[in-house]
mmCIF file of all heavy atoms in Angstrom:
data_model
loop_
_atom_site.group_PDB
_atom_site.id
_atom_site.type_symbol
_atom_site.label_atom_id
_atom_site.label_comp_id
_atom_site.label_asym_id
_atom_site.label_seq_id
_atom_site.Cartn_x
_atom_site.Cartn_y
_atom_site.Cartn_z
ATOM 1 N N LEU A 1 89.953 -56.687 -78.000
ATOM 2 C CA LEU A 1 88.754 -57.143 -77.357
ATOM 3 C C LEU A 1 87.509 -56.947 -78.232
ATOM 4 O O LEU A 1 86.631 -57.765 -78.283
ATOM 5 C CB LEU A 1 88.588 -56.413 -76.036
ATOM 6 C CG LEU A 1 89.438 -56.996 -74.902
ATOM 7 C CD1 LEU A 1 89.534 -56.021 -73.723
ATOM 8 C CD2 LEU A 1 88.928 -58.341 -74.403
ATOM 9 N N ASP A 2 87.458 -55.782 -78.941
ATOM 10 C CA ASP A 2 86.315 -55.526 -79.820
ATOM 11 C C ASP A 2 86.282 -56.621 -80.918
ATOM 12 O O ASP A 2 85.146 -57.039 -81.325
ATOM 13 C CB ASP A 2 86.508 -54.177 -80.500
ATOM 14 C CG ASP A 2 86.257 -53.015 -79.529
ATOM 15 O OD1 ASP A 2 85.711 -53.259 -78.438
ATOM 16 O OD2 ASP A 2 86.656 -51.892 -79.803
ATOM 17 N N LEU A 3 87.433 -57.081 -81.365
ATOM 18 C CA LEU A 3 87.467 -58.144 -82.416
ATOM 19 C C LEU A 3 87.050 -59.489 -81.825
ATOM 20 O O LEU A 3 86.427 -60.297 -82.504
ATOM 21 C CB LEU A 3 88.862 -58.242 -82.949
ATOM 22 C CG LEU A 3 89.167 -59.115 -84.106
ATOM 23 C CD1 LEU A 3 88.386 -58.633 -85.383
ATOM 24 C CD2 LEU A 3 90.640 -59.193 -84.448
ATOM 25 N N LEU A 4 87.346 -59.709 -80.562
ATOM 26 C CA LEU A 4 87.166 -61.020 -79.964
ATOM 27 C C LEU A 4 85.842 -61.185 -79.320
ATOM 28 O O LEU A 4 85.244 -62.249 -79.262
ATOM 29 C CB LEU A 4 88.283 -61.247 -78.958
ATOM 30 C CG LEU A 4 88.406 -62.636 -78.316
ATOM 31 C CD1 LEU A 4 88.723 -63.677 -79.460
ATOM 32 C CD2 LEU A 4 89.472 -62.674 -77.290
ATOM 33 N N VAL A 5 85.303 -60.120 -78.664
ATOM 34 C CA VAL A 5 84.105 -60.275 -77.831
ATOM 35 C C VAL A 5 82.913 -59.719 -78.516
ATOM 36 O O VAL A 5 82.809 -58.468 -78.809
ATOM 37 C CB VAL A 5 84.332 -59.505 -76.440
ATOM 38 C CG1 VAL A 5 83.087 -59.637 -75.604
ATOM 39 C CG2 VAL A 5 85.573 -60.050 -75.749
ATOM 40 N N ASP A 6 81.965 -60.555 -78.863
ATOM 41 C CA ASP A 6 80.692 -60.105 -79.522
ATOM 42 C C ASP A 6 79.585 -59.866 -78.535
ATOM 43 O O ASP A 6 78.744 -59.021 -78.818
ATOM 44 C CB ASP A 6 80.207 -61.247 -80.512
ATOM 45 C CG ASP A 6 81.250 -61.420 -81.625
ATOM 46 O OD1 ASP A 6 81.824 -60.465 -82.095
ATOM 47 O OD2 ASP A 6 81.422 -62.644 -82.065
ATOM 48 N N ASP A 7 79.552 -60.504 -77.393
ATOM 49 C CA ASP A 7 78.487 -60.448 -76.423
ATOM 50 C C ASP A 7 78.488 -59.055 -75.724
ATOM 51 O O ASP A 7 79.497 -58.723 -75.075
ATOM 52 C CB ASP A 7 78.574 -61.585 -75.439
ATOM 53 C CG ASP A 7 77.365 -61.682 -74.535
ATOM 54 O OD1 ASP A 7 76.933 -60.669 -73.904
ATOM 55 O OD2 ASP A 7 76.772 -62.846 -74.487
ATOM 56 N N LEU A 8 77.468 -58.288 -75.864
ATOM 57 C CA LEU A 8 77.444 -56.912 -75.255
ATOM 58 C C LEU A 8 77.517 -56.967 -73.752
ATOM 59 O O LEU A 8 78.120 -56.135 -73.083
ATOM 60 C CB LEU A 8 76.175 -56.205 -75.666
ATOM 61 C CG LEU A 8 76.131 -55.752 -77.192
ATOM 62 C CD1 LEU A 8 74.768 -55.065 -77.478
ATOM 63 C CD2 LEU A 8 77.363 -54.914 -77.564
ATOM 64 N N GLU A 9 76.903 -57.995 -73.149
ATOM 65 C CA GLU A 9 76.912 -58.120 -71.647
ATOM 66 C C GLU A 9 78.331 -58.399 -71.232
ATOM 67 O O GLU A 9 78.798 -57.840 -70.189
ATOM 68 C CB GLU A 9 76.020 -59.251 -71.215
ATOM 69 C CG GLU A 9 74.519 -58.859 -71.268
ATOM 70 C CD GLU A 9 74.235 -57.743 -70.334
ATOM 71 O OE1 GLU A 9 74.764 -57.684 -69.182
ATOM 72 O OE2 GLU A 9 73.401 -56.861 -70.741
ATOM 73 N N VAL A 10 79.044 -59.207 -71.900
ATOM 74 C CA VAL A 10 80.481 -59.499 -71.569
ATOM 75 C C VAL A 10 81.328 -58.221 -71.722
ATOM 76 O O VAL A 10 82.136 -57.917 -70.879
ATOM 77 C CB VAL A 10 81.008 -60.647 -72.473
ATOM 78 C CG1 VAL A 10 82.541 -60.865 -72.210
ATOM 79 C CG2 VAL A 10 80.278 -61.913 -72.206
ATOM 80 N N ARG A 11 81.067 -57.511 -72.841
ATOM 81 C CA ARG A 11 81.847 -56.216 -73.072
ATOM 82 C C ARG A 11 81.607 -55.237 -71.903
ATOM 83 O O ARG A 11 82.573 -54.532 -71.510
ATOM 84 C CB ARG A 11 81.389 -55.607 -74.371
ATOM 85 C CG ARG A 11 81.947 -56.226 -75.585
ATOM 86 C CD ARG A 11 81.715 -55.379 -76.824
ATOM 87 N NE ARG A 11 82.211 -56.014 -78.026
ATOM 88 C CZ ARG A 11 82.304 -55.390 -79.159
ATOM 89 N NH1 ARG A 11 82.002 -54.097 -79.305
ATOM 90 N NH2 ARG A 11 82.775 -56.022 -80.255
ATOM 91 N N ARG A 12 80.405 -55.186 -71.356
ATOM 92 C CA ARG A 12 80.099 -54.248 -70.312
ATOM 93 C C ARG A 12 80.819 -54.573 -68.995
ATOM 94 O O ARG A 12 81.035 -53.778 -68.166
ATOM 95 C CB ARG A 12 78.607 -54.129 -70.101
ATOM 96 C CG ARG A 12 77.902 -53.249 -71.039
ATOM 97 C CD ARG A 12 76.469 -52.882 -70.653
ATOM 98 N NE ARG A 12 75.590 -53.994 -70.976
ATOM 99 C CZ ARG A 12 74.839 -54.006 -72.081
ATOM 100 N NH1 ARG A 12 74.968 -53.051 -72.958
ATOM 101 N NH2 ARG A 12 74.028 -55.100 -72.312
ATOM 102 N N ARG A 13 81.184 -55.819 -68.869
ATOM 103 C CA ARG A 13 81.911 -56.326 -67.657
ATOM 104 C C ARG A 13 83.375 -55.976 -67.714
ATOM 105 O O ARG A 13 84.110 -56.144 -66.747
ATOM 106 C CB ARG A 13 81.717 -57.740 -67.379
ATOM 107 C CG ARG A 13 80.248 -58.166 -67.141
ATOM 108 C CD ARG A 13 80.117 -59.671 -66.763
ATOM 109 N NE ARG A 13 78.734 -60.062 -66.912
ATOM 110 C CZ ARG A 13 78.334 -60.939 -67.841
ATOM 111 N NH1 ARG A 13 79.224 -61.507 -68.673
ATOM 112 N NH2 ARG A 13 77.035 -61.306 -67.945
ATOM 113 N N ILE A 14 83.892 -55.649 -68.911
ATOM 114 C CA ILE A 14 85.314 -55.452 -69.112
ATOM 115 C C ILE A 14 85.681 -53.932 -69.325
ATOM 116 O O ILE A 14 85.158 -53.392 -70.283
ATOM 117 C CB ILE A 14 85.853 -56.306 -70.234
ATOM 118 C CG1 ILE A 14 85.544 -57.806 -70.047
ATOM 119 C CG2 ILE A 14 87.368 -56.131 -70.460
ATOM 120 C CD1 ILE A 14 85.850 -58.668 -71.242
ATOM 121 N N ALA A 15 86.462 -53.387 -68.493
ATOM 122 C CA ALA A 15 86.926 -52.002 -68.669
ATOM 123 C C ALA A 15 88.377 -51.983 -69.128
ATOM 124 O O ALA A 15 89.220 -52.752 -68.566
ATOM 125 C CB ALA A 15 86.773 -51.214 -67.374
ATOM 126 N N VAL A 16 88.685 -51.194 -70.126
ATOM 127 C CA VAL A 16 90.077 -51.066 -70.584
ATOM 128 C C VAL A 16 90.527 -49.641 -70.276
ATOM 129 O O VAL A 16 90.000 -48.683 -70.792
ATOM 130 C CB VAL A 16 90.192 -51.379 -72.058
ATOM 131 C CG1 VAL A 16 91.633 -51.244 -72.544
ATOM 132 C CG2 VAL A 16 89.644 -52.755 -72.392
ATOM 133 N N GLN A 17 91.582 -49.500 -69.437
ATOM 134 C CA GLN A 17 92.120 -48.196 -69.094
ATOM 135 C C GLN A 17 93.621 -48.331 -68.874
ATOM 136 O O GLN A 17 94.084 -49.342 -68.292
ATOM 137 C CB GLN A 17 91.578 -47.657 -67.783
ATOM 138 C CG GLN A 17 90.023 -47.267 -67.815
ATOM 139 C CD GLN A 17 89.489 -46.793 -66.459
ATOM 140 O OE1 GLN A 17 89.611 -47.522 -65.470
ATOM 141 N NE2 GLN A 17 89.118 -45.574 -66.372
ATOM 142 N N HIS A 18 94.435 -47.330 -69.306
ATOM 143 C CA HIS A 18 95.789 -47.366 -69.005
ATOM 144 C C HIS A 18 95.929 -46.926 -67.499
ATOM 145 O O HIS A 18 95.029 -46.288 -66.902
ATOM 146 C CB HIS A 18 96.691 -46.554 -69.907
ATOM 147 C CG HIS A 18 96.504 -45.078 -69.833
ATOM 148 N ND1 HIS A 18 97.050 -44.293 -68.904
ATOM 149 C CD2 HIS A 18 95.752 -44.196 -70.618
ATOM 150 C CE1 HIS A 18 96.720 -43.057 -69.076
ATOM 151 N NE2 HIS A 18 95.947 -42.924 -70.153
ATOM 152 N N ILE A 19 97.032 -47.249 -66.873
ATOM 153 C CA ILE A 19 97.131 -47.252 -65.407
ATOM 154 C C ILE A 19 96.984 -45.897 -64.823
ATOM 155 O O ILE A 19 96.293 -45.683 -63.896
ATOM 156 C CB ILE A 19 98.511 -47.877 -65.002
ATOM 157 C CG1 ILE A 19 98.561 -48.094 -63.493
ATOM 158 C CG2 ILE A 19 99.650 -47.055 -65.522
ATOM 159 C CD1 ILE A 19 97.707 -49.232 -62.966
ATOM 160 N N ASP A 20 97.532 -44.866 -65.474
ATOM 161 C CA ASP A 20 97.365 -43.473 -64.931
ATOM 162 C C ASP A 20 95.972 -42.944 -65.153
ATOM 163 O O ASP A 20 95.456 -42.175 -64.306
ATOM 164 C CB ASP A 20 98.429 -42.537 -65.618
ATOM 165 C CG ASP A 20 99.772 -42.622 -64.963
ATOM 166 O OD1 ASP A 20 99.855 -43.008 -63.837
ATOM 167 O OD2 ASP A 20 100.764 -42.410 -65.616
ATOM 168 N N GLN A 21 95.303 -43.360 -66.244
ATOM 169 C CA GLN A 21 93.907 -43.008 -66.415
ATOM 170 C C GLN A 21 93.039 -43.516 -65.242
ATOM 171 O O GLN A 21 92.251 -42.814 -64.692
ATOM 172 C CB GLN A 21 93.430 -43.598 -67.748
ATOM 173 C CG GLN A 21 91.983 -43.218 -68.067
ATOM 174 C CD GLN A 21 91.542 -43.903 -69.397
ATOM 175 O OE1 GLN A 21 92.162 -44.798 -69.913
ATOM 176 N NE2 GLN A 21 90.390 -43.451 -69.882
ATOM 177 N N PHE A 22 93.323 -44.806 -64.856
ATOM 178 C CA PHE A 22 92.569 -45.363 -63.753
ATOM 179 C C PHE A 22 92.918 -44.667 -62.434
ATOM 180 O O PHE A 22 91.992 -44.329 -61.656
ATOM 181 C CB PHE A 22 92.938 -46.845 -63.630
ATOM 182 C CG PHE A 22 92.396 -47.540 -62.436
ATOM 183 C CD1 PHE A 22 91.036 -47.551 -62.139
ATOM 184 C CD2 PHE A 22 93.213 -48.103 -61.512
ATOM 185 C CE1 PHE A 22 90.491 -48.147 -61.014
ATOM 186 C CE2 PHE A 22 92.747 -48.778 -60.405
ATOM 187 C CZ PHE A 22 91.379 -48.767 -60.136
ATOM 188 N N ALA A 23 94.196 -44.351 -62.233
ATOM 189 C CA ALA A 23 94.623 -43.629 -60.976
ATOM 190 C C ALA A 23 93.926 -42.338 -60.854
ATOM 191 O O ALA A 23 93.400 -41.895 -59.832
ATOM 192 C CB ALA A 23 96.107 -43.479 -60.932
ATOM 193 N N HIS A 24 93.922 -41.565 -61.938
ATOM 194 C CA HIS A 24 93.305 -40.200 -61.942
ATOM 195 C C HIS A 24 91.804 -40.306 -61.748
ATOM 196 O O HIS A 24 91.177 -39.440 -61.072
ATOM 197 C CB HIS A 24 93.653 -39.411 -63.221
ATOM 198 C CG HIS A 24 95.012 -38.815 -63.230
ATOM 199 N ND1 HIS A 24 95.165 -37.429 -63.050
ATOM 200 C CD2 HIS A 24 96.211 -39.345 -63.267
ATOM 201 C CE1 HIS A 24 96.409 -37.205 -63.038
ATOM 202 N NE2 HIS A 24 97.121 -38.313 -63.212
ATOM 203 N N GLN A 25 91.172 -41.346 -62.297
ATOM 204 C CA GLN A 25 89.748 -41.512 -62.068
ATOM 205 C C GLN A 25 89.414 -41.732 -60.606
ATOM 206 O O GLN A 25 88.485 -41.137 -60.071
ATOM 207 C CB GLN A 25 89.272 -42.745 -62.909
ATOM 208 C CG GLN A 25 87.829 -43.051 -62.685
ATOM 209 C CD GLN A 25 87.425 -44.333 -63.470
ATOM 210 O OE1 GLN A 25 87.601 -44.376 -64.682
ATOM 211 N NE2 GLN A 25 86.911 -45.306 -62.809
ATOM 212 N N VAL A 26 90.191 -42.588 -59.938
ATOM 213 C CA VAL A 26 89.950 -42.798 -58.509
ATOM 214 C C VAL A 26 90.210 -41.535 -57.723
ATOM 215 O O VAL A 26 89.438 -41.170 -56.826
ATOM 216 C CB VAL A 26 90.911 -43.939 -58.042
ATOM 217 C CG1 VAL A 26 90.890 -44.090 -56.530
ATOM 218 C CG2 VAL A 26 90.569 -45.280 -58.699
ATOM 219 N N PHE A 27 91.286 -40.850 -58.079
ATOM 220 C CA PHE A 27 91.563 -39.535 -57.393
ATOM 221 C C PHE A 27 90.444 -38.536 -57.504
ATOM 222 O O PHE A 27 90.032 -37.894 -56.580
ATOM 223 C CB PHE A 27 92.939 -39.001 -57.958
ATOM 224 C CG PHE A 27 93.363 -37.751 -57.254
ATOM 225 C CD1 PHE A 27 94.352 -37.791 -56.290
ATOM 226 C CD2 PHE A 27 92.895 -36.514 -57.652
ATOM 227 C CE1 PHE A 27 94.793 -36.636 -55.688
ATOM 228 C CE2 PHE A 27 93.335 -35.329 -57.040
ATOM 229 C CZ PHE A 27 94.305 -35.405 -56.014
ATOM 230 N N ARG A 28 89.974 -38.344 -58.766
ATOM 231 C CA ARG A 28 88.975 -37.359 -59.036
ATOM 232 C C ARG A 28 87.670 -37.684 -58.300
ATOM 233 O O ARG A 28 86.969 -36.702 -57.868
ATOM 234 C CB ARG A 28 88.665 -37.227 -60.538
ATOM 235 C CG ARG A 28 89.784 -36.522 -61.310
ATOM 236 C CD ARG A 28 89.307 -36.103 -62.662
ATOM 237 N NE ARG A 28 88.809 -37.230 -63.439
ATOM 238 C CZ ARG A 28 89.523 -37.972 -64.272
ATOM 239 N NH1 ARG A 28 90.865 -37.749 -64.297
ATOM 240 N NH2 ARG A 28 89.026 -38.967 -64.874
ATOM 241 N N GLN A 29 87.313 -38.929 -58.175
ATOM 242 C CA GLN A 29 86.117 -39.251 -57.436
ATOM 243 C C GLN A 29 86.109 -38.805 -55.979
ATOM 244 O O GLN A 29 85.054 -38.508 -55.436
ATOM 245 C CB GLN A 29 85.853 -40.753 -57.501
ATOM 246 C CG GLN A 29 85.525 -41.246 -58.885
ATOM 247 C CD GLN A 29 85.495 -42.779 -59.006
ATOM 248 O OE1 GLN A 29 85.952 -43.473 -58.059
ATOM 249 N NE2 GLN A 29 85.010 -43.339 -60.137
#
């Protein structure tokens, strides 16, 4: 994505996380 996406606004709309990282983030909140 870093190679493909130049627009900073577009980059801010896209989050990259592996599945357990996302699960733990939701849990911790």
Side-chain angles (χ1 to χ4, degrees):
L1 282 165
D2 290 344
L3 186 66
L4 188 63
V5 181
D6 296 324
D7 191 306
L8 292 179
E9 285 298 318
V10 175
R11 283 193 182 189
R12 279 192 280 266
R13 296 186 197 112
I14 303 173
V16 181
Q17 293 179 300
H18 69 82
I19 190 73
D20 279 332
Q21 181 184 13
F22 172 58
H24 279 255
Q25 176 183 304
V26 173
F27 183 97
R28 286 195 304 270
Q29 290 172 349

